Amino acid sequence: MDFGAAASLVLAVCISCLLFINAWRKRLQRANLPPGPTPLPLVGNLFQVDSKGLVKYLQSVQDTYGPVFTFYMGPHPVVFICGYKALKEAFIDQGDDFVFRGAMPAFDRIFHNSGMTVANNERWKQLSQFSFKTLKNLGMGKTVIEDKISEEAQCMVDFFRKTEGRLCEPSLGLAAAPANIIFGIVFGERFDYEDEKFLTLLKDIADGFDIMSSIWGQLYDIFPGAMYYLPGPHNKVFKIFLKLEALLLDQVKSHQETLNSTCPRDFIDYFLIRMNQEKQKESSEFHIQNLIPTIMDIIFGGVETMSNTLIHGVLLLLKHPEIQDKIHEEIDRETGQHRSPTYQDRKKMPFTNAVVHEIQRFCDLVPMGMTHAVARNTMFRGYTIPKGTDVIPFLTTALKDPTHFKDPENFNPENFLDNYGGFMKNNALVPFSIGKRSCPGESLARAKIFMFLTALLQNFSLKSPINPEDIDLTPRECGLENLPPLYKLYFVPREENH
């Protein structure tokens, strides 16, 4: 090819690209989607994300375009809804419009497009209603489950006593306690904290979410078609959860062999009984293909998120020893050393209760929530969101909403205290999401966080090997979850300080 022909080819390609980009921009202008940064074809707005990461960049987009904006994840538009007021308008006031689950390629693959988390329509209704009712039957919100949490809290305290005040890394111990509560509910079994299979399972779940919260996990959700075939750490996620799936299948088979329909022992039994009742019903959603991913839903919500909340919480107490001291004073005043704190004690321990809520707010565990989609063409704040468009509840913007929280970038329990030192509820605290798709285990989660942390602080002073002012709270990953940094501490028995 001579120079003239080559130059003509390059010119033609450039003109074609310009025409394509111009047509793309005109198409965007015709759409009545909320405003947002101008995307490029195919890659969308991804090249505009700076070194601070996606969540920080999206917060700056909110500052520019307001509480409702459009961001292109690759070629697909995603509408972000920010701040408590807009989130309430969308997911509560117009809840039926925003109730669908949007695209979540990694979870779709893990759950095989089955189960409660990724479901829509009748499947979601049946599974979510059943799960909520069954969790209540198994004690959620009742004294029976609080007794189990109290017993598990003592097991956790005994485990950390074995460190004899030596420097230790707490993450597996803090994961084991909430895990045993969930495993007890799901398949009626608890494990010793030093059981190797148990610890391997907890580490596998944590490793899976570490990868899903990394850039590899984000790329998979944006470009699933390409990432499916590319090598990389993201492939390990699916191997990890296939192991979990196999373990759960073994549990289900064991339950089927020992099932007593008149005396259900746990969540699996309740589900199997419902399966038997509806085995002749063609439209039933109660079958093994939905049981395994529904169990995984409960485990992910009750183990992974709760353990990371506790790990964040302990780190915040190391960072703020003056807050730890106030909790010690409140525990000594209300329960002393003669009995374990109960969930009902929160009513007499407003400062401790406020700290627990502030931990949930500050750690901002799932900053972008789970992806929703509009069920029909939807008008929202003057914009048109076409049916099927993905919508993300940008939860971090509610948890850090300056109209609802004082000094939201810093840890401050006064966000949940009134002028008289009493506990004060704040509706903008939405760590479990908002609306019809919010976590069904929210009340159980709150009880676990309060009782596990108060049990630790009744028995220990938490000491950091470094000066509190030097403790770095920056998450080690910020994607699907804000994952707490790794750290070590001393669990110093409190009787040594009395």
Side-chain angles (χ1 to χ4, degrees), residues 456-485:
L456 285 176
L457 291 172
Q458 182 185 44
N459 290 278
F460 301 107
S461 293
L462 311 177
K463 304 292 186 183
S464 173
I466 61 176
N467 290 328
E469 58 268 23
D470 295 327
I471 293 175
D472 186 1
L473 301 175
T474 306
R476 69 179 188 277
E477 293 288 358
C478 184
L480 174 66
E481 290 185 332
N482 276 328
L483 297 177

Side-chain angles (χ1 to χ4, degrees), residues 9-164:
L9 178 61
V10 171
L11 180 61
V13 170
C14 290
I15 292 172
S16 297
C17 288
L18 289 172
L19 289 172
F20 179 72
I21 291 172
N22 188 51
W24 169 264
R25 286 178 172 170
K26 285 183 177 178
R27 193 187 82 172
L28 296 179
Q29 291 168 359
R30 286 195 300 269
N32 189 32
L33 282 168
T38 301
L40 294 171
L42 301 180
V43 297
N45 297 118
L46 295 178
F47 286 170
Q48 299 165 30
V49 178
D50 57 28
S51 60
K52 294 180 181 178
L54 182 60
V55 172
K56 290 291 185 184
Y57 174 74
L58 290 169
Q59 287 177 286
S60 70
V61 175
Q62 178 203 3
D63 293 339
T64 302
Y65 293 97
V68 186
F69 64 84
T70 303
F71 182 86
Y72 277 74
M73 298 281 196
H76 306 293
V78 179
V79 173
F80 281 76
I81 298 181
C82 312
Y84 177 70
K85 184 178 180 181
L87 286 166
K88 179 181 178 297
E89 288 176 18
F91 296 100
I92 295 179
D93 299 344
Q94 287 185 232
D96 289 339
D97 292 328
F98 291 87
V99 75
F100 266 37
R101 176 62 72 217
M104 298 190 300
F107 279 116
D108 289 341
R109 184 173 169 187
I110 291 168
F111 295 139
H112 310 296
N113 291 301
S114 299
M116 185 169 54
T117 289
V118 301
N120 283 311
N121 295 321
E122 191 62 25
R123 175 177 294 173
W124 171 70
K125 289 180 183 178
Q126 288 189 34
L127 294 177
S128 61
Q129 289 172 4
F130 169 83
S131 297
F132 183 74
K133 182 179 179 180
T134 302
L135 289 173
K136 288 190 70 175
N137 288 339
L138 290 167
M140 186 176 74
K142 301 177 182 178
T143 303
V144 59
I145 198 68
E146 292 174 20
D147 290 343
K148 291 180 180 179
I149 296 171
S150 182
E151 292 171 9
E152 195 61 47
Q154 188 57 53
C155 293
M156 178 183 62
V157 167
D158 292 342
F159 174 77
F160 285 121
R161 279 195 189 281
K162 293 177 183 178
T163 66
E164 297 180 334

Side-chain angles (χ1 to χ4, degrees), residues 52 82 260 264 310 315 397 425:
K52 294 180 181 178
C82 312
N260 180 347
L310 288 173
L315 182 62
T397 62
K425 184 179 178 181

Side-chain angles (χ1 to χ4, degrees), residues 32-33 94 96-98 100 373-391:
N32 189 32
L33 282 168
Q94 287 185 232
D96 289 339
D97 292 328
F98 291 87
F100 266 37
V374 287
R376 57 184 72 88
N377 291 341
T378 298
M379 290 295 298
F380 185 71
R381 291 199 168 190
Y383 303 110
T384 303
I385 307 175
K387 178 181 178 180
T389 301
D390 286 343
V391 178

Side-chain angles (χ1 to χ4, degrees), residues 240-251:
I240 286 173
F241 292 127
L242 279 174
K243 284 174 58 180
L244 176 59
E245 184 179 332
L247 182 150
L248 295 176
L249 276 170
D250 286 342
Q251 284 285 344

Side-chain angles (χ1 to χ4, degrees), residues 206-388:
D207 287 347
F209 276 87
D210 278 8
I211 297 169
M212 289 176 69
S213 296
S214 72
I215 185 63
W216 291 96
Q218 294 174 50
L219 286 172
Y220 188 93
D221 274 339
I222 296 168
F223 301 111
M227 295 298 290
Y228 185 92
Y229 297 100
L230 293 177
H234 58 288
N235 293 308
K236 183 181 177 183
V237 170
F238 306 109
K239 294 178 182 177
I240 286 173
F241 292 127
L242 279 174
K243 284 174 58 180
L244 176 59
E245 184 179 332
L247 182 150
L248 295 176
L249 276 170
D250 286 342
Q251 284 285 344
V252 170
K253 290 176 182 176
S254 174
H255 277 64
Q256 287 175 319
E257 294 168 357
T258 58
L259 181 65
N260 180 347
S261 296
T262 63
C263 187
R265 299 160 293 187
D266 46 43
F267 187 92
I268 292 178
D269 274 1
Y270 274 98
F271 199 101
L272 292 175
I273 292 169
R274 185 70 171 269
M275 276 177 56
N276 291 335
Q277 292 170 346
E278 298 194 3
K279 60 185 176 182
Q280 304 300 327
K281 185 178 176 182
E282 290 186 7
S283 61
S284 175
E285 296 294 345
F286 293 90
H287 44 73
I288 298 296
Q289 290 80 6
N290 277 332
L291 172 55
I292 299 301
T294 299
I295 296 172
M296 293 172 75
D297 286 336
I298 297 170
I299 289 174
F300 292 165
V303 177
E304 169 64 16
T305 58
M306 282 302 95
S307 62
N308 278 326
T309 300
L310 288 173
I311 294 166
H312 271 292
V314 169
L315 182 62
L316 285 164
L317 294 173
L318 293 173
K319 178 76 172 176
H320 298 278
E322 74 285 357
I323 290 176
Q324 190 180 158
D325 290 343
K326 287 185 179 181
I327 296 175
H328 283 149
E329 292 173 6
E330 197 167 58
I331 291 173
D332 290 345
R333 184 170 64 249
E334 297 301 333
T335 73
Q337 298 293 314
H338 65 281
R339 68 170 178 86
S340 299
T342 69
Y343 192 44
Q344 296 306 311
D345 285 325
R346 74 191 188 283
K347 299 173 183 177
K348 300 179 293 182
M349 299 167 65
F351 183 78
T352 304
N353 199 17
V355 170
V356 167
H357 283 70
E358 179 67 357
I359 287 170
Q360 292 177 287
R361 185 199 71 83
F362 185 83
C363 75
D364 186 16
L365 196 62
V366 187
M368 291 193 289
M370 303 290 274
T371 306
H372 289 236
V374 287
R376 57 184 72 88
N377 291 341
T378 298
M379 290 295 298
F380 185 71
R381 291 199 168 190
Y383 303 110
T384 303
I385 307 175
K387 178 181 178 180

